[in-house]
Amino acid sequence: VPACPELDLYLDTAATTPPAAAVLQAMAIAQQQAWANPASLHGFGLAAAERLERSRQQVAHCLGCSPAEVVFTSGGTESIHLALLGAAAHLDPGRLLISAVEHPATVAAARRLQQRGWQVQVVPVDRQGRLDLDVLDALLVPPTRLVSLIWGQSEVGTIEPIGQAGTLCRERGVLLHVDAVQMLGHAGLSFRDLPVDLLSCAAHKLEGPRGVGALLVRSGVPLQAELGGGGQEAGRRAGTEPVVLAAGMAAALELTRARLGEGGPGPEGPLAALRNRLLTELERLPGLERTGPPPGAERLPHHISLLLRTASGQPLPARGVVRELARRGIAVSSGSACSSRGSAASPVLMAMGFGEAEAAAGLRLSLGSWHRWESVRELPVALELAIAAQSPATAS
Ligand SMILES: Cc1ncc(COP(=O)(O)O)c(C=O)c1O
């Protein structure tokens, strides 16, 4: 149950989540007891170093890896850049494969590699955003040296077949980086059992603090630091470590693990059941079409994505509806929120085969652990009113 009742109407957890009470408490304690620089040799520094390493062990325990495989970063964007640029620095320039539905952070890192002489090839997806494994398979030949794939797609909720893709990469000796930023709070994850070499995480999507994340780097995979300096994080990421934020990330992962243990997240958990009920109601509204896979193992359990249309069937730009709902106190996002500069058309929906007008009509609603049916039951009516208010016939 949220500390603040307005959180009932916050349906944008795929953008970010409010920190949980247990996270704030862990951070307050770390701030009091371990505020010093972990590199300092006095008692204050040793306390900070001890707290940092305890957080690293907690993170490693929750994610099924060894503490030495955890590099703390500032979040998803930095982890992705460190993974791709840092791994590529130890390889001869070759070909990087990415899917057609990556987060803009991966697209930006791929562009950097292009500037360093790499070719970048995009692997297509189907109408539901699922990676084409046959095309991936065919492209896993020289000069392909690196692959980067999103796991849980933020805009349309698709869970990509990372296990199968990773097995193919392993067979061909090609390094695989996975962007697990959206997946982390919603699935049990054991890095040691995944055929994945590098895995990017952020704390703020799972009720942890903003400004901290981790890159998991499989033992033996060489990685060049992007930031030089004091040689922290075993020479892989310089800069005085954010001890308090790392403590918050560890607490958030512990919370997720406890919820998973109770059957919390995942396709069978109560959050998925709530999402399914809400989606069923929304799909009854005229003109609304789900994008991405149906509820089940191929869809993030907290995630709803819809294409908006007017009563006459024309795609309806989602940004106006987002603003209309915001006026009614309901926080959702348009599908193209992550690429908010320039065109409103979502590159993700376009890659899935939607036209430009449809690609500007994507709406995303994402639920949090605190939501109950009472929190969201008004949403279908509010959305219907917002659509009517934005439709051309009634807008004037
Ligand atoms: C799938 C995915 N990857 C990467 C990121 C970037 O993470 P951060 O905002 O922590 O830099 C996000 C955030 O929206 C995301 O959803």
Side-chain angles (χ1 to χ4, degrees):
V1 178
C4 137
E6 293 84 60
L7 272 182
D8 271 359
L9 305 170
Y10 181 77
L11 296 166
D12 202 12
T13 57
T16 199
T17 55
V23 167
L24 292 174
Q25 197 184 8
M27 288 171 66
I29 293 170
Q31 185 63 59
Q32 272 179 346
Q33 299 174 350
W35 48 267
N37 186 332
S40 301
L41 295 179
H42 43 66
F44 299 100
L46 293 179
E50 192 273 333
R51 190 66 193 83
L52 180 67
E53 292 319 306
R54 199 143 39 92
S55 299
R56 195 185 308 281
Q57 282 168 11
Q58 281 176 285
V59 169
H61 181 61
C62 291
L63 299 180
C65 64
S66 80
E69 291 175 316
V70 177
V71 179
F72 283 117
T73 66
S74 64
T77 300
E78 185 190 336
S79 295
I80 291 166
H81 279 75
L82 179 58
L84 295 187
L85 304 183
H90 287 274
L91 300 168
D92 289 331
R95 182 166 58 197
L96 164 71
L97 304 179
I98 62 173
S99 83
V101 290
E102 294 301 318
H103 187 273
T106 299
V107 177
R111 260 194 221 118
R112 292 275 178 89
L113 282 185
Q114 254 172 339
Q115 289 159 1
R116 297 180 189 179
W118 283 68
Q119 290 171 42
V120 176
Q121 191 149 346
V122 174
V123 180
V125 296
D126 67 12
R127 183 88 175 169
Q128 299 195 330
R130 284 179 302 224
L131 183 75
D132 189 327
L133 283 170
D134 292 333
V135 173
L136 178 77
D137 190 22
L139 287 170
L140 284 174
V141 290
T144 297
R145 299 211 166 85
L146 194 53
V147 176
S148 186
L149 298 174
I150 195 165
W151 195 349
Q153 214 295 325
S154 38
E155 253 180 79
V156 292
T158 314
I159 296 179
E160 301 293 351
I162 291 305
Q164 286 161 278
T167 303
L168 292 173
C169 290
R170 278 277 153 87
E171 283 168 9
R172 314 295 170 77
V174 172
L175 278 184
L176 173 62
H177 164 252
V178 166
D179 169 0
V181 168
Q182 287 289 344
M183 195 66 177
L184 210 57
H186 300 286
L189 193 158
S190 174
F191 187 57
R192 71 175 60 87
D193 300 326
L194 284 172
V196 171
D197 303 292
L198 300 142
L199 189 121
S200 286
C201 310
H204 70 102
K205 311 279 188 187
L206 46 138
E207 297 176 52
R210 200 101 31 87
V212 66
L215 176 65
L216 307 189
V217 185
R218 182 153 321 278
S219 160
V221 172
L223 190 84
Q224 180 178 295
E226 275 297 291
L227 306 176
Q232 288 89 346
E233 297 297 297
R236 295 172 293 189
R237 199 263 191 179
T240 305
E241 303 90 331
V243 179
V244 173
L245 292 174
M249 178 166 185
L253 281 166
E254 294 280 9
L255 200 61
T256 298
R257 202 166 66 95
R259 285 191 188 133
L260 278 164
E262 293 158 6
E268 311 296 339
L271 193 57
L274 175 61
R275 186 275 314 273
N276 297 351
R277 186 170 172 190
L278 181 59
L279 179 60
T280 304
E281 294 282 319
L282 290 169
E283 282 181 320
R284 287 206 183 108
L285 298 182
L288 289 191
E289 179 191 338
R290 187 198 72 240
T291 55
E298 290 188 331
R299 185 168 190 106
L300 288 169
H302 66 312
H303 194 289
I304 292 177
S305 52
L306 301 164
L307 213 68
L308 304 178
R309 290 184 203 279
T310 62
S312 61
Q314 295 308 308
L316 182 66
R319 288 182 183 187
V321 174
V322 170
R323 288 194 200 101
E324 192 67 42
L325 284 171
R327 275 196 280 279
R328 292 158 204 261
I330 298 175
V332 300
S333 86
S334 64
S336 53
C338 294
S339 48
S340 54
R341 307 281 168 273
S343 161
S346 149
V348 167
L349 289 175
M350 305 255 301
M352 288 160 62
F354 292 94
E356 195 159 343
E358 290 173 316
L363 190 78
R364 178 182 75 187
L365 302 101
S366 40
L367 299 168
S369 60
W370 59 88
H371 284 127
R372 302 290 177 266
W373 179 245
E374 292 63 41
S375 326
V376 299
R377 63 185 315 154
E378 305 300 332
L379 183 81
V381 171
L383 181 56
E384 202 172 5
L385 290 172
I387 289 173
Q390 286 294 310
S391 292
T394 52
S396 59

